[in-house]
């Protein structure tokens, strides 16, 4: 399925009241215990969190934003997993299969948004992160967080629909928005999009990241591997043959020299012997 | 002789059992309570000492195996032959220990075989897993020669000898790939790894530094075993390895500086920030200092200086890998990661097991050439007809033709 048709989430900072219903609904859906109002960071038992960010021009002007898996169009985690335990589904959500996972945690290191969490205290640990309610969305329902939101701050739809919605929101109230849809192009595009009244680095969209999908950085090198392997192998074979030949020639010449010397000596001895015989 | 060395070794034996005992207790805790019970790993720092030291340094320090075997079997530098087997043994044990360390670090180690059947070719880790698996097999086959020799399994030894050259070539290919791939692994984190370490050249830098540290380790390992087993040192050979080491370090140092300059980061190296200081330690201690020490041929010929220079190169390498895997992340990730004492103890236990295994194998298998007391004999270039003992039959055919 084209990225445009995949399921996505739009989060609008200007509409969020910070009520926390989305976090509560998420935890309920996942069956997590704990107080949703105290979730300040994602964890193995909270797939999304609410944090505050203030207007860089007016520190009293505070907004709430959600942190959750961005379900990248070309996800780092999926590309780095050595066993394919993470999968970018046709539907859009990035899902995890614990039965495949060997627990190397490369996904956690590679994620540019620091999303995956780990069950550090379990002897049989799993990676934990938002799966964009894959089960609900497969049935055509919205995510738990989108359903819970009564302000239109978190909405669910196809990536194309949501980009359109975001653009029209910016167009209708240009004064309320910073004219940028976070996640439209960053790291090759994400499936969780953000609208904000001012530029925000807290969303994790580090300008350093650029618009190339992250897997490109490693693939550029990985695709050279067959060539490198063949070149290394061929060079080694050639060098083995060359040095071997060089040594053989050297040994052969040395032997010839010795033989020539021996022959000369033998001849000399022989003639001496003959002379002696005559004497 | 064994009884003569037993006494001085008893101190180290005590340390060994202490590390083993503590390590085993921690092992039980690790596998019953989870990684969090013994490590300082966290969601911000999912990789710690066991990846930074046990994996990255373990694989790098074992590079001497492929470097020396290539020199002897591919480049036919016969005078290095006496150190080929010890280098091979170091590499073999190194890789075995890396795999054991991974069993500790992986959250679900019972799934370690999954990359064999669940492929994901876009993953650098997938490639590293395959290379390490295959190369360990190659090392085991290369090492098997010593086992066959010991038990006088003539036919097996003959087959092994015939396979030597293909195995060495395969070993060089696999090592080139995964030594550099350990650097490629970090190319996916341009936003997290500090610019003093993040570079598109990481794969090449990792490979070249592995080759130089492989050479340095051959010298360090020779020195340590000469002490432990009361053997003579093959100084003329090691001096020559030291000379090549200077060249390799020079190449690495040049590439490292050129890369920083190229990316406009050379100034960053001298800001004396936390990262800059760690870089200066890594580069000054591990590249400049050993080069200065080993640049003089007089010092290269001295046992003490040669050992010191190589030791600094090894330490600098270790600091570099720790910087790439830990220091370099602290700016972006916030806070610090400092390994827990339990992580350190388990690492030390593995190192101790490595030392013990090395010494047991040396005592039971023909690792070192017999006439170690007379190194001159061993280093002499075999003149005229090559020794039948050390040449594969198909090599002899070529030479005698």
């Amino acid at each position: 399925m084209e990225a445009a048709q995949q399921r996505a989430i739009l989060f609008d900072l200007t509409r969020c009241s910070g009520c926390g219903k989305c976090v509560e609904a998420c935890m309920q859906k996942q069956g997590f215990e704990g107080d949703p109002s105290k979730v300040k960071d994602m964890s193995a038992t909270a797939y999304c969190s609410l944090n505050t960010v203030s207007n860089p021009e007016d520190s009293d002007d505070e907004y709430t934003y959600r942190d959750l898996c961005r379900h990248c169009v070309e996800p780092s985690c999926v590309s780095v997993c050595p066993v394919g335990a993470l999968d970018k589904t046709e539907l859009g959500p990035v899902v995890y299969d614990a039965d495949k996972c060997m627990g190397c945690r490369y996904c956690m290191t590679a994620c540019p948004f620091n999303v995956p969490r780990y069950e550090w205290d379990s002897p049989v640990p799993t990676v934990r992160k938002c799966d964009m309610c894959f089960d609900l969305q497969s049935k055509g329902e919205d995510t738990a967080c989108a359903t819970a939101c009564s302000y239109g701050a978190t909405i669910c739809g196809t990536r194309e629909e949501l980009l359109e919605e975001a653009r029209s929101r910016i167009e209708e109230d240009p004064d309320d928005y910073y004219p940028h849809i976070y996640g439209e192009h960053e790291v090759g595009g994400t499936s969780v999009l953000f609208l904000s009244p001012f530029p925000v680095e807290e969303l994790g969209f580090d300008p350093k990241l650029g618009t190339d999908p992250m897997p490109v950085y490693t693939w550029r090198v990985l695709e050279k591997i067959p060539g490198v392997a063949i070149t290394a192998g061929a060079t080694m074979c050639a060098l083995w043959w060359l040095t071997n030949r060089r040594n053989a020639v050297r040994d052969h010449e040395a032997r010839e020299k010795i033989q020539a010397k021996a022959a000369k000596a033998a001849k000399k001895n022989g003639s001496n012997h003959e002379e002696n015989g005559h004497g | 002789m064994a009884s003569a060395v037993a006494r001085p070794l008893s101190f180290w034996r005590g340390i060994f059992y202490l590390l083993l005992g503590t390590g085993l207790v921690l092992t039980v805790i690790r596998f019953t309570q989870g990684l969090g019970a013994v490590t300082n790993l966290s969601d911000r720092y999912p990789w710690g000492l066991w990846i930074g030291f046990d994996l990255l340094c373990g694989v790098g320090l074992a590079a001497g195996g492929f470097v020396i075997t290539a020199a002897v079997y591919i480049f036919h530098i016969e005078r290095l032959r006496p150190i080929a087997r010890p280098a091979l043994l170091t590499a073999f044990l190194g890789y075995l220990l890396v795999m054991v360390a991974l069993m500790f670090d992986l959250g679900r180690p019972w799934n370690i075989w999954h990359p064999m059947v669940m492929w994901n070719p876009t993953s650098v880790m997938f490639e590293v897993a395959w290379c390490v698996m295959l190369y360990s097999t190659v090392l085991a086959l290369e090492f098997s020669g010593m086992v066959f020799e010991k038990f006088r399994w003539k036919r097996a030894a003959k087959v092994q000898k015939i396979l030597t050259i293909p195995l060495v070539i395969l070993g060089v290919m696999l090592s080139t790939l995964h030594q550099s791939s350990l650097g490629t692994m970090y190319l996916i984190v341009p936003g997290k790894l500090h610019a003093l370490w993040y570079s598109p050249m990481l794969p090449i830098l990792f490979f070249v530094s592995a080759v130089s540290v492989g050479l340095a380790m051959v010298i360090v390992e020779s020195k340590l075993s000469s002490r432990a087993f009361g053997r003579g040192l093959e100084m003329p050979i090691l001096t020559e390895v030291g000379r090549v080491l200077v060249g390799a370090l020079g190449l690495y140092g040049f590439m490292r500086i050129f890369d920083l300059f190229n990316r406009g980061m050379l100034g960053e190296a001298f800001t004396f920030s936390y990262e800059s200081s760690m870089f200066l330690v890594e580069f000054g201690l591990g590249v400049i200092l050993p080069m200065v020490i080993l640049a003089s041929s007089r010092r290269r010929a001295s046992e003490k200086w040669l050992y010191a220079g190589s030791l600094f190169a090894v330490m600098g390498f270790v600091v570099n890998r720790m910087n790439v895997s830990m220091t370099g992340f602290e700016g972006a990730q916030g806070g610090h990661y400092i390994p827990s004492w339990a992580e350190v103890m388990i690492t030390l236990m593995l190192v101790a097991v490595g030392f013990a295994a090395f010494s047991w194998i040396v005592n039971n298998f023909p690792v070192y050439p017999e006439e170690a007391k007379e190194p001159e004999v061993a280093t002499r270039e075999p003149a005229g007809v090559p020794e039948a003992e050390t040449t594969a039959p198909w090599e002899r055919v070529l030479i005698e033709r």
Side-chain angles (χ1 to χ4, degrees):
Chain A
M1 211 190 291
E2 281 290 297
Q5 299 309 314
Q6 289 179 344
R7 304 295 294 174
I9 286 174
L10 172 66
F11 178 73
D12 188 337
L13 269 80
T14 66
R15 297 202 182 185
C16 180
S17 70
C19 70
K21 284 274 190 291
C22 52
V23 178
E24 200 182 320
C26 176
M27 292 177 73
Q28 223 161 45
K29 157 87 173 41
Q30 302 294 343
F32 293 148
E33 315 259 305
D35 183 354
S37 68
K38 286 193 179 135
V39 174
K40 291 282 165 247
D41 191 11
M42 287 174 287
S43 70
T45 54
Y47 290 166
C48 67
S49 66
L50 283 180
N51 302 67
T52 53
V53 56
S54 29
N55 188 338
E57 275 153 33
D58 176 9
S59 58
D60 289 336
D61 191 15
E62 277 198 343
Y63 291 83
T64 312
Y65 73 94
R66 290 183 70 199
D67 203 1
L68 69 162
C69 174
R70 309 297 199 273
H71 298 275
C72 305
V73 174
E74 288 185 52
S76 309
C77 58
V78 173
S79 100
V80 300
C81 179
V83 293
L86 286 148
D87 183 30
K88 175 77 178 170
T89 55
E90 284 282 292
L91 189 64
V94 174
V95 298
Y96 166 76
D97 182 352
D99 291 335
K100 287 185 175 175
C101 179
M102 60 179 197
C104 71
R105 310 185 298 283
Y106 195 10
C107 50
M108 304 178 70
T109 299
C111 175
F113 304 108
N114 283 320
V115 167
R117 296 293 187 263
Y118 210 59
E119 292 179 322
W120 295 106
D121 296 321
S122 164
V124 190
T126 57
V127 171
R128 311 304 299 263
K129 72 167 201 70
C130 159
D131 65 351
M132 219 203 254
C133 294
F134 180 66
D135 51 347
L136 295 180
Q137 297 220 63
S138 300
K139 290 186 281 183
E141 291 171 38
D142 278 356
T143 62
C145 56
T147 308
C149 184
S150 42
Y151 300 91
T154 295
I155 59 169
C156 198
T158 67
R159 196 162 181 274
E160 190 178 37
E161 285 165 7
L162 295 181
L163 281 171
E164 216 162 284
E165 168 71 17
R167 273 186 217 110
S168 70
R169 282 189 193 182
I170 294 174
E171 217 165 281
E172 275 164 32
D173 302 294
D175 295 342
D176 287 358
Y177 291 102
Y178 178 68
H180 184 84
I181 307 169
Y182 285 95
E184 184 177 9
H185 300 297
E186 283 86 354
V187 297
T190 62
S191 298
V192 176
L193 305 161
F194 292 84
L195 281 179
S196 163
F198 42 78
V200 270
E201 277 202 11
E202 281 82 355
L203 297 181
F205 292 108
D206 187 338
K208 223 172 13 180
L209 293 177
T211 54
D212 277 342
M214 310 301 283
V216 169
Y217 289 87
T218 40
W219 186 246
R220 273 199 281 256
V221 177
L222 280 176
E223 67 180 355
K224 296 197 177 78
I225 280 180
V228 171
I230 291 167
T231 313
T235 312
M236 287 302 121
C237 289
L239 284 171
W240 174 80
W241 187 82
L242 276 175
T243 52
N244 196 36
R245 189 77 198 130
R246 189 197 60 195
N247 287 1
V249 168
R250 191 195 54 202
D251 291 345
H252 184 74
E253 280 173 356
R255 215 176 309 151
E256 270 189 346
K257 225 178 240 172
I258 294 167
Q259 277 167 359
K261 226 182 212 169
K264 216 174 167 185
K267 210 175 167 188
K268 207 176 167 192
N269 280 343
S271 58
N272 281 348
H273 190 74
E274 250 170 55
E275 273 169 31
N276 291 344
H278 274 289
Chain B
M1 198 195 106
S3 58
V5 290
R7 203 161 269 280
L9 275 184
S10 63
F11 167 72
W12 291 106
R13 195 157 289 170
I15 299 269
F16 171 73
Y17 285 122
L18 190 71
L19 287 172
L20 192 67
T22 322
L24 288 178
V25 172
L26 292 169
T27 303
V28 172
I29 301 174
R30 150 71 189 91
F31 286 104
T32 51
Q33 317 277 308
L35 282 162
V38 287
T39 70
N40 277 348
L41 296 174
S42 63
D43 291 330
R44 287 261 138 172
Y45 292 97
W47 284 355
L49 185 74
W50 292 344
I51 294 292
F53 183 80
D54 301 30
L55 174 67
L56 294 186
C57 295
V59 168
L61 295 174
F66 92 90
V67 176
I68 299 296
T69 49
V72 172
Y73 295 100
I74 308 293
F75 301 111
H76 292 97
I77 308 174
E78 284 298 326
R79 55 191 178 281
L80 293 183
R81 195 178 283 270
I83 56 172
R85 283 185 165 187
L88 194 63
L89 177 59
T90 311
F92 184 44
L93 288 176
Y95 276 83
L96 287 182
L97 287 177
V98 164
M99 286 193 278
V100 176
L102 277 178
M103 299 303 279
F104 279 88
D105 187 73
L106 290 177
R108 304 170 150 246
W110 50 91
N111 287 344
I112 195 169
W113 54 277
H114 278 184
M116 285 199 269
V117 291
M118 301 170 185
W119 286 34
N120 184 14
T122 64
S123 167
V124 187
M125 186 80 85
F126 170 75
E127 193 239 324
V128 170
W130 266 95
C131 279
V132 168
M133 247 167 1
L134 291 175
Y135 186 51
S136 304
T137 312
V138 165
L139 282 169
L141 289 173
E142 288 183 313
F143 176 74
S144 68
M146 292 177 234
V147 179
F148 299 149
E149 203 173 292
K150 154 103 177 166
F151 296 110
R152 301 184 193 285
W153 294 342
K154 295 236 168 76
R155 183 165 293 177
K158 212 169 176 183
V159 173
Q160 198 273 342
K161 200 153 271 178
I162 292 170
L163 285 176
T164 300
I165 302 293
L167 281 176
V168 171
I169 292 177
L170 196 59
V172 172
M173 288 165 70
L174 292 168
S175 296
T176 309
L177 292 185
H178 72 268
Q179 292 287 358
S180 56
S181 289
L182 289 175
T184 313
M185 250 173 28
Y186 287 90
L187 288 183
I188 198 110
V189 288
K192 291 185 185 179
L193 185 55
H194 192 276
L196 278 173
W197 293 284
Y198 184 87
S199 156
M201 273 177 71
L202 267 178
I204 301 170
L205 290 171
F206 261 56
F207 177 72
V208 177
S209 56
V211 169
S212 33
V213 85
L215 295 168
M217 269 305 279
V218 166
I219 297 170
V220 171
E221 171 263 306
S222 293
K223 172 75 184 173
L224 291 180
S225 45
S226 96
R227 232 186 244 172
F229 308 116
R231 306 178 47 253
L233 264 182
E234 298 91 346
M235 272 315 279
I237 307 182
L238 296 180
T239 299
E240 185 152 344
V241 174
R243 192 170 57 91
V244 183
L245 173 58
V246 178
L249 283 173
L251 176 67
Y252 171 72
F254 171 76
M255 288 169 73
R256 188 86 165 88
I257 295 295
F258 173 80
D259 171 57
L260 286 175
F261 174 77
N262 217 14
R263 293 185 291 115
M265 283 297 148
L266 203 50
E268 186 76 24
F270 297 97
T271 55
F272 298 100
S273 62
Y274 171 56
E275 283 88 3
S276 144
S277 313
M278 289 306 284
F279 167 78
L280 290 174
V281 169
E282 158 198 328
F283 201 75
L285 197 82
V287 182
I288 305 287
L289 187 60
M291 277 179 73
V292 168
I293 292 176
L294 298 177
S296 129
S297 57
R298 199 173 41 83
R299 280 197 292 268
R300 276 203 304 273
S302 136
E303 226 179 280
K304 233 177 236 166
W305 281 111
L306 185 66
Y307 179 55
S310 308
L311 204 57
F312 278 123
V314 169
M315 291 194 305
F317 173 87
V318 171
V319 178
N320 169 260
R321 293 306 195 256
M322 305 279 238
N323 281 343
V324 170
S325 60
M326 299 170 215
T327 317
F329 279 83
E330 294 189 344
Q333 298 298 88
H336 291 282
Y337 160 79
I338 294 158
S340 70
W341 72 270
E343 284 173 274
V344 177
M345 285 306 286
I346 287 178
T347 297
L348 288 177
M349 170 183 76
L350 294 179
V351 173
V353 167
F355 272 91
F358 190 93
S359 113
W360 183 81
I361 292 173
V362 164
N363 285 327
N364 289 282
F365 291 90
V367 175
Y368 286 104
E370 285 300 319
E371 67 318 327
K373 283 143 267 160
E374 289 176 90
E376 310 91 301
V377 179
T379 58
R380 192 171 46 93
E381 189 93 17
V385 187
E387 296 163 46
E389 277 289 311
T390 51
T391 327
W394 57 317
E395 274 185 287
R396 241 177 293 150
V397 170
L398 274 173
I399 293 165
E400 279 162 11
R401 194 181 50 200

